[in-house]
Amino acid sequence: MATAIYLEHYLDSIENLPCELQRNFTLMRELDNRTEEKKGEIDKLAEEYITNVRNLASEQRVEHLQKIQSAYSKCKEYSDDKVQLAMQTYEMVDKHIRRLDADLARFENELKEKLDVSGYESPDNRALKKGGGRGLKEKRGPKGRGRKCSDDDSPRKKKIKNSPEFSESLLPVHPSDVLDMPVDPNEPTYCLCHQVSYGEMIGCDNPDCPIEWFHFACVDLTTKPKGKWFCPRCTQDRKKK
């Protein structure tokens, strides 16, 4: 019964995900097309400038170069928008992956508790008793963490990674629950604890913060603070200045 509830809630939460991903990918494709058009415009302006530079007055040269610079600025603006969309898309998918990791950890704990109450003895425990502990030890691999991030960052600098809907639907998860999950070697780490993303996280409002993202529990937070928030390290640095 518990399995069905977890599955039903998770499927409900990802119902709109395909449409949201398609929308973001379409927007990124449009930004790519705009960038390519601007690059063609820049090539044309540069060619005109090189061809006519000797015949142009000083003011005309400046004006022509300003047009080229303006076109480059527009390209950069499109590229920045695309990066933001890519990060938003990553966070969108990652939010559901972290929720799945958390639900799996909670479900496993509930299952263990029920088995302990019922007095069920798992095959691992029986092997442990018969083999002096060798059976269980041989089956255990190195422990690792669940997956994330990137964070990053993000619209990352100013926003909590989890939306209000996600925060309300996800029950508190203890870090140790996630620590027991398999490690993704390519997954970035965050926070003062140098671990991957899990649960609720908050971004430091210092744009030069070397860490950027922090777990609520590691910085003694239970809810998102109002206004700007700076991590302990950046707070110390600001006091020294």
Side-chain angles (χ1 to χ4, degrees):
M1 183 66 181
T3 309
I5 293 174
Y6 280 121
L7 182 60
E8 183 180 349
H9 287 174
Y10 188 74
L11 291 177
D12 287 342
S13 72
I14 63 172
E15 184 178 358
N16 296 324
L17 183 61
C19 294
E20 293 172 351
L21 291 176
Q22 185 177 6
R23 170 184 168 276
N24 281 12
F25 291 143
T26 302
L27 289 172
M28 282 190 274
R29 189 179 301 114
E30 289 176 3
L31 288 169
D32 274 339
N33 293 335
R34 292 182 190 177
T35 304
E36 288 302 317
E37 289 175 5
K38 277 293 173 187
K39 284 167 68 177
E41 182 183 328
I42 290 169
D43 290 341
K44 185 178 178 181
L45 287 170
E47 187 178 348
E48 288 177 3
Y49 180 78
I50 293 170
T51 303
N52 303 318
V53 64
R54 294 181 180 179
N55 303 323
L56 294 175
S58 179
E59 293 180 358
Q60 290 175 319
R61 291 182 184 181
V62 171
E63 183 181 351
H64 209 90
L65 289 172
Q66 284 177 343
K67 287 181 181 179
I68 296 175
Q69 185 177 6
S70 176
Y72 269 119
S73 298
K74 205 67 182 174
C75 276
K76 184 179 182 301
E77 183 181 325
Y78 292 150
S79 299
D80 289 342
D81 289 344
K82 185 181 176 183
V83 169
Q84 295 297 328
L85 268 174
M87 290 164 59
Q88 180 186 354
T89 304
Y90 175 87
E91 294 297 335
M92 193 186 302
V93 175
D94 186 63
K95 176 185 73 174
H96 294 290
I97 293 174
R98 285 186 280 117
R99 175 175 180 175
L100 181 60
D101 285 346
D103 283 348
L104 285 172
R106 292 182 60 252
F107 177 68
E108 184 181 352
N109 285 339
E110 289 178 10
L111 190 61
K112 286 179 181 177
E113 289 174 4
K114 288 179 181 179
L115 292 176
D116 289 342
V117 170
S118 64
Y120 173 78
E121 188 174 20
S122 69
D124 281 343
N125 286 338
R126 288 198 294 270
L128 180 62
K129 289 180 179 179
K130 290 180 180 179
R134 286 192 303 257
L136 183 57
K137 287 181 181 178
E138 288 171 1
K139 292 186 180 181
R140 285 185 178 172
K143 292 187 178 180
R145 291 204 46 170
R147 61 164 270 84
K148 171 183 167 67
C149 219
S150 46
D151 228 83
D152 322 14
D153 337 52
S154 259
R156 305 179 49 157
K157 294 283 182 184
K158 307 294 178 185
K159 295 181 181 177
I160 296 295
K161 283 194 172 179
N162 297 352
S163 64
E165 295 81 7
F166 177 61
S167 301
E168 290 171 6
S169 61
L170 181 62
L171 294 177
V173 181
H174 195 276
S176 62
D177 294 340
V178 185
L179 283 168
D180 288 334
M181 293 183 181
V183 169
D184 179 352
N186 298 318
E187 187 164 358
T189 56
Y190 304 91
C191 193
L192 301 171
C193 63
H194 303 294
Q195 301 294 344
V196 298
S197 166
Y198 61 83
E200 287 189 292
M201 299 185 73
I202 185 170
C204 179
D205 279 298
N206 177 11
D208 298 321
C209 179
I211 300 176
E212 300 179 357
W213 287 98
F214 301 82
H215 305 108
F216 269 31
C218 294
V219 289
D220 296 325
L221 289 177
T222 54
T223 58
K224 177 184 175 181
K226 294 180 180 179
K228 291 189 174 183
W229 180 85
F230 296 93
C231 71
R233 289 188 180 182
C234 291
T235 302
Q236 260 187 346
D237 291 342
R238 285 163 64 88
K239 287 179 180 178
K240 290 177 182 178
K241 293 180 180 179

